[in-house]
């Protein structure tokens, strides 16, 4: 049985233990796998509205909804995430990364329980609102993984977040095929409680302990993460201690922006996010059936959407195998250029195929596009959010950036029908291709390289001239 299921506790063990022969990577892998279950629940929650609305619209449904109510049920799953992200920014710094994950698991479990017992539409509204609030706090997962892992392993471990999220969406579609929405909600409530129980075996972030001036627990937590590699722990603790010693007091919120290590990554990520959100991934995800149906192929839009989700999963798993072999900027460039070429070819196919005889080719181009998208454009920026900010403000600034991303996503998804009406599917292809290329150019010029660098080295890099 894995060591984390035993009675050993990071808080109760000696500071230094004899070195063991097992891999020092295994504890971080176990901790990452457990933490990423919250990302899995995020994907589940995103997909749940699809099966919920489909079953509520059946003639046999006890709860009947109209179009307006359906739109509220769907949108409430998105609109409250920025609020949750703002609250997470405070909670994660005050109470810790592990505690925040436990709070999120409990909130998600409560929301599923309310959903199960919902006998009217207002209760469904409330459960969806609570769920979206909890999902906004899930950004603590990336922060936790970044702080417990070594620089050489951090990229690979962080890359697990996206496939877990997409896998959750596929998982809930399968559940919805076999069970009613009430039964699915009850299953997910139980699953959320299991995740809460598993997080009790995890250590808190060593960096957070050091920020709170608790060196003893920081050493114990790091020993757990490094599988009692005492010489590694001693060096890491010394590095953290030396760095934090230079920070005499924590400045007020707006005073943080005087530090280049804060305002530089903030501006870079915000501008990048504005471009990145226009490349089309979220839009296609939310409107997959309608998007693929617009190509007028003989294949059903729902089937093509499932293939789209499956390719997304494959692409995110592929990233896990290459993220530790290539620089972040290299993967971003390859991803964006592949997306640009795929969308450009798709647009050319639409332009030249006036009789729709080759209408399957644009669909193939979209599949190629999403494969390239998942090997860098979607995952890597989220990894870097947890890497680029100083430790003293990492939780707060990560939350602020995430709030901005959620707001951009909301408006993009909301305005897509209007955009599609104005420029048509051909214009949409050119729109995605243009912003894919623009995003690559911006990242190539302004993004720092974080692969195999310690979090403190990344912080120092922003204080120097330029962010490259």
């Amino acid at each position: 049985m894995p060591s984390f299921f035993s009675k050993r506790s990071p808080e109760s063990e000696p500071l230094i233990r004899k070195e063991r022969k097992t891999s020092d990577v295994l504890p971080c892998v176990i901790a990452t796998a457990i933490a990423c279950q919250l990302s899995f629940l995020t994907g589940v929650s995103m997909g749940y509205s699809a099966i919920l609305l489909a079953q509520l619209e059946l003639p046999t449904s006890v709860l009947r909804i109209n179009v307006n109510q359906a739109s509220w049920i769907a949108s409430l799953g998105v609109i409250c995430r920025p609020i949750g992200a703002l609250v997470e920014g405070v909670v994660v710094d005050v109470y810790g990364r592990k505690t925040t994950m436990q709070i999120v698991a409990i909130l998600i479990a409560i929301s599923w329980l309310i959903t199960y017992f919902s006998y009217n539409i207002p209760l469904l509204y409330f459960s969806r609102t609570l769920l979206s609030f909890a999902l906004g706090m899930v950004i603590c997962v990336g922060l936790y993984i970044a702080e417990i892992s070594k620089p050489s392993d951090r990229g690979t471990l962080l890359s697990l977040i996206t496939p877990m999220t997409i896998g959750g969406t596929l998982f809930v579609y399968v559940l919805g095929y076999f069970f009613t929405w009430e039964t699915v909600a009850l299953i997910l409530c139980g699953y959320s409680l299991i995740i809460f129980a598993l997080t009790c075996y995890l250590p808190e972030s060593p960096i957070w302990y050091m920020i709170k001036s608790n060196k003893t627990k920081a050493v114990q937590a790091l020993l757990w993460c490094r599988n009692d590699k005492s010489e590694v722990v001693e060096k890491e603790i010394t590095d953290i201690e030396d760095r934090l010693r230079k920070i005499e007091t924590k400045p007020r919120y707006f005073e943080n922006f005087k530090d280049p290590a804060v305002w530089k990554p903030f501006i870079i990520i915000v501008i990048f996010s504005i471009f990145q959100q226009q490349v089309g991934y979220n839009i296609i995800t939310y409107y997959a059936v309608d998007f693929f149906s617009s190509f007028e192929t003989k294949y059903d839009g729902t089937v093509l959407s499932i293939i789209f989700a499956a390719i997304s999963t494959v692409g995110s798993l592929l990233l896990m195998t290459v993220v530790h072999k290539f620089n972040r900027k290299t993967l971003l460039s390859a991803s964006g250029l592949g997306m640009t070429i795929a969308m450009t070819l798709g647009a050319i196919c639409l332009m030249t195929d006036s009789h729709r005889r080759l209408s399957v080719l644009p669909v193939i181009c979209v599949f190629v596009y999403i494969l390239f998208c998942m090997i860098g454009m979607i995952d890597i920026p989220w990894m870097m959010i947890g890497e680029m900010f100083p430790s003293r403000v990492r939780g707060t600034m990560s939350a602020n950036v995430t709030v901005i991303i959620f707001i951009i996503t909301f408006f993009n998804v909301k305005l897509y029908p209007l955009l599609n009406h104005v420029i048509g599917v051909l214009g949409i292809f050119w729109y995605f291709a243009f912003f894919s290329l623009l995003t690559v150019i911006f990242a190539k010029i302004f993004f720092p390289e974080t692969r195999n660098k310690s979090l403190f080295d990344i912080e120092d890099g922003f204080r120097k001239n330029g962010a490259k």
Side-chain angles (χ1 to χ4, degrees):
M1 184 175 292
S3 60
F4 80 100
F5 279 114
S6 65
K7 295 182 179 180
R8 55 179 294 195
S9 170
E11 287 79 5
S12 61
E13 292 183 307
L15 293 188
I16 304 297
R17 281 174 149 242
K18 185 177 179 181
E19 182 177 323
R20 297 183 177 181
K21 294 182 180 180
T22 52
S23 171
D24 61 342
V25 179
L26 181 60
C28 281
V29 172
I30 294 173
T32 298
I34 294 175
C36 280
Q37 296 307 305
L38 291 177
S39 299
F40 182 83
L41 289 175
T42 300
V44 165
S45 304
M46 293 168 60
Y48 182 77
S49 62
I51 67 169
L52 174 62
L53 295 177
Q55 294 187 17
L56 289 179
E57 291 168 356
L58 294 175
T60 57
S61 174
V62 176
L63 293 179
R64 303 300 300 274
I65 59 173
N66 55 40
V67 175
N68 182 56
Q69 290 171 327
S71 66
W72 274 112
I73 290 174
S75 61
L76 284 174
V78 179
I79 200 169
C80 291
R81 292 182 71 175
I83 301 175
L86 286 174
V87 174
E88 184 271 351
V90 177
V91 175
V92 78
D93 283 339
V94 175
Y95 298 103
R97 287 53 163 152
K98 170 186 173 179
T99 302
T100 304
M101 291 193 296
Q102 292 176 315
I103 292 173
V104 172
I106 290 296
L107 288 176
I108 292 177
I110 293 174
S111 71
W112 289 127
L113 192 62
I114 295 173
T115 300
Y116 174 73
F117 285 109
S118 293
Y119 58 86
N120 57 32
I121 300 302
L123 270 178
L124 277 180
Y125 286 167
F126 178 71
S127 66
R128 293 290 293 169
T129 301
L130 179 60
L131 181 61
S132 64
F133 173 81
L135 295 183
M137 299 178 68
V138 173
I139 57 176
C140 62
V141 171
L143 179 61
Y144 177 77
I145 295 172
E147 291 188 346
I148 67 169
S149 56
K150 295 190 296 185
S152 58
D153 302 323
R154 189 170 60 236
T156 301
L157 295 178
L158 285 171
S159 66
L160 183 62
I161 293 176
T162 296
M164 290 298 293
T165 304
I166 299 172
T169 302
L170 293 176
F171 176 71
V172 78
Y173 286 160
V174 174
L175 287 181
Y177 181 80
F178 291 104
F179 304 105
T180 65
W181 62 269
E182 297 100 328
T183 303
V184 172
L186 190 61
I187 293 172
L188 296 176
C189 176
Y191 190 87
S192 303
L193 292 175
I194 293 174
I195 301 308
F196 169 80
L198 289 176
T199 57
C200 295
Y201 291 94
L202 301 182
E204 182 53 87
S205 162
I207 292 180
W208 182 80
Y209 273 138
M210 291 297 290
I211 293 173
K212 296 299 180 179
S213 303
N214 195 332
K215 182 177 179 180
T216 299
K217 288 189 175 181
V219 171
Q220 293 168 347
L222 201 55
L223 282 170
W224 191 99
C225 295
R226 302 294 178 261
N227 207 18
D228 296 351
K229 301 285 186 178
S230 58
E231 72 284 357
V232 175
V233 170
E234 290 172 1
K235 183 180 184 305
E236 288 194 44
I237 288 293
T238 300
D239 290 342
I240 297 172
E241 195 172 28
D242 290 343
R243 179 54 58 100
L244 294 179
R245 191 180 293 118
K246 298 177 181 178
I247 306 173
E248 297 180 359
T249 58
K250 185 175 180 179
R252 295 179 180 179
Y253 178 80
F254 289 105
E255 291 178 352
N256 284 312
F257 285 91
K258 297 179 181 179
D259 186 353
V262 176
W263 66 260
K264 279 185 179 180
F266 179 79
I267 292 176
I268 289 172
I269 294 176
V270 167
I271 296 177
F272 176 85
S273 297
I274 293 174
F275 294 154
Q276 183 226 30
Q277 289 296 309
Q278 315 307 315
V279 302
Y281 173 75
N282 285 320
I283 290 175
I284 297 177
T285 300
Y286 280 92
Y287 294 96
V289 176
D290 291 339
F291 181 80
F292 286 112
S293 297
S294 66
F295 298 135
E296 301 178 9
T297 68
K298 64 180 180 179
Y299 302 103
D300 182 71
T302 302
V303 174
L304 295 177
S305 300
I306 294 174
I307 298 174
F308 172 85
I311 293 175
S312 299
T313 305
V314 172
S316 60
L317 292 173
L318 179 62
L319 175 64
M320 293 181 61
T321 66
V322 300
V323 71
H324 63 284
K325 298 179 181 179
F326 298 96
N327 291 338
R328 306 280 199 266
K329 294 175 71 171
T330 300
L331 287 173
L332 267 175
S333 299
S335 174
L337 289 175
M339 293 165 62
T340 302
I341 295 172
M343 279 298 175
T344 300
L345 291 176
I348 294 173
C349 290
L350 289 174
M351 292 173 61
T352 57
D353 186 20
S354 59
H355 299 289
R356 302 292 186 184
R357 290 171 298 183
L358 303 176
S359 56
V360 72
L361 292 182
V363 175
I364 295 175
C365 289
V366 173
F367 289 160
V368 174
Y369 148 89
I370 193 59
L371 184 62
F372 275 102
C373 184
M374 299 310 298
I375 66 171
M377 184 64 72
I378 297 302
D379 284 4
I380 288 181
W382 285 102
M383 296 179 199
M384 298 178 75
I385 288 176
E387 297 176 324
M388 290 170 64
F389 291 108
S391 56
R392 71 180 188 279
V393 296
R394 188 170 296 130
T396 302
M397 297 308 299
S398 297
N400 292 342
V401 170
T402 303
V403 167
I404 294 173
I405 293 175
F406 285 158
I407 292 174
I408 297 171
T409 302
F410 172 77
F411 280 105
N412 278 351
V413 173
K414 185 69 174 176
L415 296 176
Y416 168 73
L418 176 62
L419 180 67
N420 186 41
H421 176 74
V422 173
I423 65 177
V425 66
L426 175 61
I428 291 294
F429 268 64
W430 285 118
Y431 184 87
F432 291 165
F434 170 76
F435 276 101
S436 296
L437 181 59
L438 184 61
T439 303
V440 169
I441 295 173
F442 181 86
K444 192 69 175 177
I445 296 174
F446 296 104
F447 256 40
E449 182 53 61
T450 61
R451 175 174 172 258
N452 290 337
K453 291 184 179 180
S454 71
L455 297 177
F456 292 131
D457 287 339
I458 297 170
E459 181 179 340
D460 286 340
F462 281 112
R463 292 196 175 99
K464 298 176 182 179
N465 294 327
K468 298 177 183 179

